[in-house]
Amino acid sequence: MSFEVSTLLLVTLGYLACLFLAAWVTERGIIPKRIVRHPVTYVLSLGVYASAWATYGTVGFAHHYGMVFLAYYLGICGAFFLAPVLLAPILKITRTYQLGSLSDLFSFRFRSSWAGTLSTGLMVIALLPLLALQIQAVADAMQLITHYRSPETLALGFCVLMIVFTILFGARHISSRERHEGLVFAIAFESVVKLVAMVAISTLAIYQFFDGPAGLERWLEQNTELMPAFQQSLEGGPWRTLLLVFFASAVTMPHMFHMIFTENLNRRALLTASWGMPLLLLVLSFCVIPILASGLLLKAPTNPEYFTLGIGISADSPLMTLLAYVAGLSASSGLIIVTTLALSAMVLNHLVLPFYQPSAKGNIYSWLGWTRRILISTIILASYGFYHLLQAYQDLSNLAVVAFVGTLQFLPGILATLYWPTANRQGFIAGLIVGGLVWAISMMVPLITGWQQIDLPLLGYSLNIDADSWNMAAIVSLSLNSLAFVIVSILSQSSEDEISAASACSVDTMNRPQRRGLSIETPEEFQQQLTKPLGARIAQREVNQALRDLSLSYHEKRPYALRRLRDRIQANLSGLMGPSVAQEIVDNFLPYKDGVAEYVTEDIHFMENRLEEYHSQLTGMAAELDGLRRYHRETLKSLPMAVCSLGDDQEILMWNRAMEQITAISAIDIVGSRLSDISSPWRELLQRFVDDTAPHLYKQEVEVDGQERCISLHKAAISDTQAARSGTIVLLEDLTDTQVLEEKLVHSERLASIGRLAAGVAHEIGNPITGIACLAQEMREETDNDEFREMAQQVLGQTERVTRIVQSLVNFSHSGTNHRQSAPADPVNIHTTVNEAIDLLSLSRKEQGIVYHNQIDQSLLVSGDGQRLLQVFVNLLSNARDASPANSDIRLSSEASEHTVTLRVTDQGSGIPAHIRDSLFEPFVTTKDPGRGTGLGLALVYSIIEEHFGKIDVISPTDDENGSGTSIVITLPRYQQPAPSAHSS
């Protein structure tokens, strides 16, 4: 049984077209986002790990090593089981700093372009065997099915197809900040095809050749001699070594790093992957033994590595053969696409851009895109060249093991990135060189040359190399790598940049960025500076993208926000051009100020935000300390006294709620700004106080929205030499209400003094007024001149008026002296009392033509205290006068019933606002302008009316059409004549 080459070519093109179609419809939004970003899709995309070696090579590996083949599946499962301590921290770092590859991570952590360059070079060399494995697997599969004479021709055609489809899949986007949703969905689709094909083949084999699982089990028990490797113990070295090798592959293999971290569309999906990925690999591992047993049973005409194809050929089953081919094609194409995309980005960022950067006059995006396409083509063709160099004689297992052990050399660097803050670039580079050389000499060179023995003349030793020597080579290379890394790191010192990067990457500590001043003060200046290396259009796009990412305005000027903008631009450029080039651009064109080391301290606001993000992840003592921190922080925010914290450079670090209420400035808008950026009048007040040496500043007048506020200020210096933190705490105390109370008390005392003075003056005036009245009466009686008599009568009238006014003053000065006692039930003529009040108010110069109309019934008597009621009407008429326009009327009217008297005081003023109408009779509530009313008059009126067992109410407005006028309605008990005694005649 065989297929035509043209038929397989159509199958290959059809499958790749389906793969591209899946990516295309995803990017066009045809497939719902909930499916594309579902954790299951993410888990399936991680199935790219199962390459052609999983579909073909692991069967031969199982034939040679027995159950050791499970290490391929169990090793990486261990990495996913440890996702919270291994994968999640790396994901967080890569997402925060836009690191798209392992070389980006090392370059960022060790702050060295050479770290990125060296790791990229070693990665490319180490991956050539793995890429060649995929090419060889597809070429061999096509040759086995078609019996075509030249597998290299088939391999070359496959590589050309891979170049085209890889460029279509991933080279259209050039920034790692743009996730390839189409690629993720397509690789997930590839995993489904691969999984279905492998399960179908193994299931068909079990039921067609063994009559079910029970038959397979019996056959295995009866034919142990055909699989002697399965009788060996797993206690040997290869088992443990392979577990470690494949455990590391989760983070050291570029295609896995790319899918786990760079293309991660949902951070929570990693939690699903921690059990979903092991489940996927478990299903694939179940397929190996049935396929191996079927190949041995049928004596398949292939070596064990291709039993997946061989059982279909032996059984003359086109369906099984085609399924096996599609499974291998799917696995190979998926790995080549993802690996080549990842490697092209690494080579661009760490082998091309550090040595050549495009001119800012051109389109950098276009240049990067075309360069990446060229690199994709070069890498795939280099893989084909490596395949051609090996002449397709190598077993798939040898190619896979060499590649996996090569990438194992990055494991010490990854662990140091997460858990060893004192590791440095010298140690990393030394370890990578030593481990890489040992791996190359012991595994890569023999793979290429076929040497079985390497003489080491300087050591007087010959290194024997055979099919099983990889175990020792892996152990020795990794051990020497780690030893060199540790020794050199201990003997050398880390730079300040490395220490900062180590803090950002470490799992146990949190990044503590420095609060430094920038020489650039606006986003516009950011754009102008970046125009020099990037060009105007690219600079504008990058600045706008960073502003959108941070939700900041283009007019932002806060130092804290500008520092965040700088970091975000660097992260975005890192995703575009690699961390080394990004850091160089940002350091050269967006520098910090020189000579400001005196206030280079930790960015407390940033640390607070990060702690809030970590809050749910803290446990034990860390959680208790964080709870205490949050409690004290909330205490400061909730203090009834306004508090703000300033750094030594006068950057605002904290602004509590009371400060927001006093200044009407939100903390969100002001924290991170300089003191000089606050709006007036607070800027001048705080700046003057902070610059002054005095710790207190009392009763400063501040005009806010046209109102005078009285503010006292206090400050204290903060100094923490151990943590290098210092600054100033400023407290603001709003004394406006207190000042008003003090002024009211002084005013009350002044009124009391005036009352006592008025009583004395009235007494002194009374005697001469009496004399004048006597003289006027005598003149009137003794003269016969009518003119003189009229004049004498006028004098008497004026003296009577003066006497009445003086008596009103005396009565008013006595008012309230007995207000704590019950009001007497004396008869009080309301008409007369109102006239007295009008006479008192007539002494004021505020009348402005106000006319009082006393329309109260002259015969009405109420039960109460005349002096206290006089005070009521003085207050009511005074308020009515102040609220009325010039030349208007104030009317007083009355209604009487058998037991009550209802009095109305109605003005033509502007009315009383609805929002204070219900609280009008409460103390200190007033509608008058500041300084013109105390807000105590109506409260006193209310109290007096209550003492008289009466009621008071307000109706406003009285004129609904104009919304003006106020009417005060008072109800008092009517005076009742005492009943005559029984014995009176």
Side-chain angles (χ1 to χ4, degrees):
M1 182 201 70
S2 66
F3 289 86
E4 295 293 332
V5 174
S6 58
T7 302
L8 277 190
L9 180 60
L10 289 175
V11 171
T12 303
L13 284 173
Y15 171 76
L16 294 176
C18 289
L19 209 61
F20 178 74
L21 180 63
W24 186 83
V25 297
T26 300
E27 293 181 353
R28 292 297 181 275
I30 298 175
I31 299 179
K33 292 290 185 183
R34 59 184 178 84
I35 297 178
V36 175
R37 299 187 177 183
H38 197 278
V40 173
T41 303
Y42 175 68
V43 171
L44 288 172
S45 72
L46 300 180
V48 71
Y49 171 77
S51 66
W53 193 48
T55 57
Y56 299 152
T58 51
V59 179
F61 199 75
H63 183 261
H64 186 73
Y65 291 102
M67 296 301 291
V68 174
F69 85 92
L70 288 174
Y72 177 73
Y73 301 99
L74 297 179
I76 193 170
C77 288
F80 278 92
F81 286 142
L82 296 177
V85 296
L86 179 63
L87 304 183
I90 297 177
L91 176 61
K92 185 175 183 302
I93 296 169
T94 55
R95 293 295 293 270
T96 301
Y97 301 103
Q98 295 290 329
L99 306 177
S101 67
L102 197 59
S103 296
D104 286 356
L105 179 63
F106 290 145
S107 179
F108 173 81
R109 163 60 180 86
F110 298 106
R111 285 293 192 255
S112 169
S113 61
W114 285 108
T117 300
L118 182 61
S119 59
T120 299
L122 180 58
M123 184 70 78
V124 171
I125 296 172
L127 264 292
L128 286 177
L130 187 63
L131 292 172
L133 183 156
Q134 315 307 315
I135 298 171
Q136 179 177 323
V138 173
D140 288 350
M142 294 182 72
Q143 185 186 33
L144 287 171
I145 297 175
T146 63
H147 304 294
Y148 192 77
R149 294 180 180 180
S150 175
E152 293 188 2
T153 303
L154 298 175
L156 181 60
F158 175 67
C159 290
V160 172
L161 288 177
M162 283 294 94
I163 291 173
V164 173
F165 278 94
T166 302
I167 291 175
L168 290 176
F169 270 108
R172 289 172 296 168
H173 304 296
I174 58 174
S175 174
S176 65
R177 67 171 173 256
E178 298 179 13
R179 305 291 180 239
H180 303 86
E181 292 187 348
L183 174 65
V184 172
F185 189 79
I187 298 302
F189 173 77
E190 173 264 320
S191 295
V192 172
V193 171
K194 176 171 54 186
L195 182 64
V196 170
M198 291 296 291
V199 170
I201 292 171
S202 60
T203 302
L204 287 173
I206 291 174
Y207 286 95
Q208 184 173 348
F209 307 135
F210 299 101
D211 296 327
L216 173 63
E217 185 177 357
R218 286 193 302 270
W219 187 90
L220 290 174
E221 293 175 353
Q222 296 169 2
N223 296 273
T224 55
E225 72 281 357
L226 294 178
M227 296 189 296
F230 281 83
Q231 308 305 316
Q232 299 175 4
S233 172
L234 292 178
E235 297 298 325
W239 169 253
R240 296 188 180 92
T241 305
L242 283 174
L243 282 177
L244 177 62
V245 168
F246 295 122
F247 171 86
S249 65
V251 289
T252 58
M253 279 293 179
H255 57 288
M256 293 305 297
F257 192 99
H258 189 81
M259 297 309 299
I260 293 174
F261 307 119
T262 307
E263 297 293 353
N264 186 295
L265 302 176
N266 183 353
R267 294 185 180 185
R268 295 183 179 179
L270 191 59
L271 298 176
T272 305
S274 64
W275 59 266
M277 180 65 172
L279 181 62
L280 174 65
L281 296 179
L282 180 64
V283 175
L284 285 174
S285 68
F286 283 159
C287 301
V288 174
I289 293 179
I291 292 174
L292 176 59
S294 299
L296 293 173
L297 173 65
L298 298 175
K299 297 180 181 180
T302 63
N303 65 49
E305 288 187 321
Y306 292 104
F307 273 180
T308 307
L309 281 164
I311 59 177
I313 296 173
S314 298
D316 197 23
S317 172
L319 175 62
M320 293 182 68
T321 304
L322 197 59
L323 281 175
Y325 173 74
V326 171
L329 173 65
S330 174
S332 298
S333 59
L335 185 136
I336 290 175
I337 289 172
V338 178
T339 302
T340 307
L341 287 175
L343 286 178
S344 64
M346 294 171 67
V347 173
L348 176 63
N349 292 342
H350 300 283
L351 295 182
V352 177
L353 288 174
F355 305 101
Y356 175 79
Q357 296 180 16
S359 171
K361 297 180 181 179
N363 188 330
I364 294 179
Y365 291 142
S366 178
W367 184 90
L368 291 173
W370 279 107
T371 303
R372 192 165 181 184
R373 295 183 185 101
I374 293 172
L375 290 174
I376 288 172
S377 304
T378 303
I379 292 170
I380 295 178
L381 291 177
S383 302
Y384 171 77
F386 191 81
Y387 159 78
H388 179 73
L389 179 65
L390 298 179
Q391 298 180 350
Y393 293 147
Q394 290 293 335
D395 292 338
L396 299 182
S397 297
N398 290 341
L399 293 172
V401 170
V402 170
F404 277 96
V405 174
T407 58
L408 180 64
Q409 307 308 313
F410 300 110
L411 183 60
I414 291 173
L415 296 179
T417 296
L418 299 178
Y419 296 103
W420 190 19
T422 56
N424 57 35
R425 65 171 72 98
Q426 293 91 336
F428 171 75
I429 292 174
L432 205 57
I433 291 175
V434 171
L437 286 176
V438 172
W439 165 78
I441 294 172
S442 60
M443 298 191 72
M444 193 66 170
V445 172
L447 178 70
I448 297 173
T449 61
W451 294 345
Q452 299 298 314
Q453 179 176 312
I454 298 177
D455 295 327
L456 303 175
L458 295 179
L459 301 177
Y461 177 75
S462 295
L463 179 64
N464 294 320
I465 301 173
D466 55 34
D468 296 327
S469 63
W470 59 265
N471 178 38
M472 184 59 64
I475 295 174
V476 172
S477 61
L478 182 62
S479 299
L480 292 179
N481 181 344
S482 303
L483 187 63
F485 192 175
V486 172
I487 292 175
V488 175
S489 292
I490 292 176
L491 296 179
S492 58
Q493 292 184 346
S494 301
S495 65
E496 293 184 1
D497 285 344
E498 281 185 280
I499 294 173
S500 175
S503 177
C505 295
S506 178
V507 172
D508 296 328
T509 58
M510 186 183 65
N511 182 25
R512 296 154 70 177
Q514 292 181 335
R515 185 167 52 80
R516 303 175 62 184
L518 283 168
S519 57
I520 299 173
E521 298 182 351
T522 63
E524 183 179 1
E525 293 182 34
F526 273 78
Q527 182 176 325
Q528 293 172 356
Q529 289 295 107
L530 289 176
T531 298
K532 301 173 184 177
L534 301 178
R537 190 172 70 88
I538 308 302
Q540 180 181 8
R541 179 173 174 179
E542 290 299 322
V543 171
N544 290 338
Q545 178 65 44
L547 289 171
R548 285 194 299 270
D549 292 343
L550 298 173
S551 300
L552 296 177
S553 167
Y554 192 77
H555 305 287
E556 184 64 68
K557 293 184 179 180
R558 292 179 296 164
Y560 164 70
L562 295 179
R563 287 195 301 271
R564 291 184 64 202
L565 179 61
R566 181 185 188 271
D567 292 342
R568 189 64 188 182
I569 289 174
Q570 181 173 347
N572 287 350
L573 290 178
S574 176
L576 183 69
M577 310 174 75
S580 297
V581 176
Q583 182 181 5
E584 180 182 353
I585 291 175
V586 170
D587 288 345
N588 290 337
F589 297 96
L590 305 176
Y592 288 109
K593 290 182 179 178
D594 294 328
V596 292
E598 65 273 8
Y599 64 84
V600 177
T601 58
E602 296 168 357
D603 196 329
I604 297 176
H605 184 63
F606 183 85
M607 292 173 63
E608 285 280 348
N609 291 339
R610 293 294 299 276
L611 282 172
E612 289 298 323
E613 294 176 4
Y614 275 105
H615 171 63
S616 60
Q617 305 176 22
L618 299 178
T619 59
M621 183 62 71
E624 294 293 333
L625 291 174
D626 182 65
L628 187 62
R629 173 195 67 83
R630 293 164 64 87
Y631 175 77
H632 288 305
R633 185 73 174 178
E634 191 61 29
T635 299
L636 287 174
K637 287 184 177 180
S638 302
L639 278 176
M641 182 174 289
V643 180
C644 71
S645 175
L646 306 175
D648 282 351
D649 56 343
Q650 296 189 357
E651 182 175 331
I652 299 172
L653 306 179
M654 193 267 291
W655 192 268
N656 74 347
R657 297 187 185 101
M659 200 75 173
E660 291 179 321
Q661 294 173 357
I662 289 180
T663 61
I665 300 174
S666 171
I668 297 177
D669 299 330
I670 203 64
V671 168
S673 301
R674 294 282 165 76
L675 197 59
S676 57
D677 296 331
I678 302 177
S679 59
S680 295
W682 305 106
R683 177 179 61 246
E684 294 78 4
L685 177 65
L686 292 173
Q687 189 71 62
R688 176 163 51 89
F689 177 57
V690 171
D691 293 340
D692 195 355
T693 57
H696 307 284
L697 193 61
Y698 296 103
K699 294 187 177 180
Q700 300 299 302
E701 296 294 333
V702 180
E703 185 175 346
V704 181
D705 297 332
Q707 298 183 358
E708 290 291 332
R709 307 287 292 276
C710 181
I711 305 294
S712 287
L713 300 95
H714 316 274
K715 67 182 176 184
I718 299 176
S719 180
D720 186 348
T721 56
Q722 292 182 350
R725 300 187 186 102
S726 58
T728 304
I729 289 288
V730 178
L731 286 80
L732 269 65
E733 191 176 5
D734 190 351
L735 301 177
T736 305
D737 293 340
T738 304
Q739 176 112 350
V740 169
L741 286 174
E742 290 176 354
E743 292 176 354
K744 290 173 181 177
L745 289 174
V746 171
H747 182 63
S748 298
E749 289 294 330
R750 187 180 299 114
L751 288 177
S753 299
I754 292 174
R756 290 190 294 271
L757 177 63
V761 169
H763 180 72
E764 293 299 327
I765 291 177
N767 291 331
I769 288 298
T770 302
I772 293 174
C774 292
L775 292 174
Q777 289 177 3
E778 185 176 352
M779 181 184 299
R780 184 188 60 185
E781 297 296 333
E782 293 183 356
T783 183
D784 294 330
N785 191 321
D786 292 338
E787 184 177 354
F788 282 173
R789 288 172 63 87
E790 181 64 24
M791 292 175 61
Q793 186 61 39
Q794 290 178 356
V795 170
L796 283 174
Q798 294 302 318
T799 56
E800 288 177 1
R801 184 183 178 199
V802 171
T803 300
R804 189 167 60 252
I805 291 173
V806 169
Q807 186 60 43
S808 297
L809 285 173
V810 173
N811 292 340
F812 189 73
S813 66
H814 291 162
S815 297
T817 55
N818 297 317
H819 67 278
R820 294 187 182 273
Q821 302 176 4
S822 299
D826 299 330
V828 179
N829 188 297
I830 292 298
H831 184 87
T832 304
T833 303
V834 167
N835 280 338
E836 281 192 59
I838 294 173
D839 290 337
L840 281 174
L841 293 175
S842 66
L843 299 175
S844 172
R845 298 180 179 179
K846 299 181 181 179
E847 295 302 315
Q848 298 181 348
I850 301 296
V851 178
Y852 301 94
H853 299 277
N854 186 358
Q855 299 173 347
I856 297 175
D857 189 342
Q858 298 183 15
S859 63
L860 282 179
L861 299 177
V862 299
S863 178
D865 184 341
Q867 295 179 356
R868 300 283 281 160
L869 293 176
L870 172 63
Q871 191 171 2
V872 167
F873 287 104
V874 167
N875 273 291
L876 293 180
L877 292 176
S878 174
N879 288 341
R881 177 199 61 196
D882 294 341
S884 298
N887 303 316
S888 61
D889 297 334
I890 297 176
R891 298 185 179 277
L892 296 98
S893 60
S894 63
E895 295 177 5
S897 65
E898 183 179 357
H899 300 288
T900 61
V901 174
T902 300
L903 307 172
R904 292 179 181 268
V905 180
T906 305
D907 61 50
Q908 297 175 339
S910 57
I912 298 173
H915 67 277
I916 67 169
R917 199 174 299 151
D918 294 337
S919 59
L920 188 62
F921 298 106
E922 295 178 5
F924 311 119
V925 176
T926 180
T927 60
K928 298 180 181 179
D929 295 333
R932 298 191 59 189
T934 64
L936 293 173
L938 289 179
L940 183 61
V941 166
Y942 186 84
S943 176
I944 294 173
I945 297 300
E946 275 197 331
E947 291 174 6
H948 284 74
F949 305 103
K951 294 190 302 182
I952 185 169
D953 197 5
V954 59
I955 299 173
S956 182
T958 55
D959 186 351
D960 293 333
E961 183 177 350
N962 298 321
S964 62
T966 299
S967 180
I968 303 296
V969 181
I970 299 175
T971 302
L972 292 171
R974 188 169 184 175
Y975 179 74
Q976 304 292 332
Q977 293 287 345
S981 50
H983 59 275
S984 60
S985 58

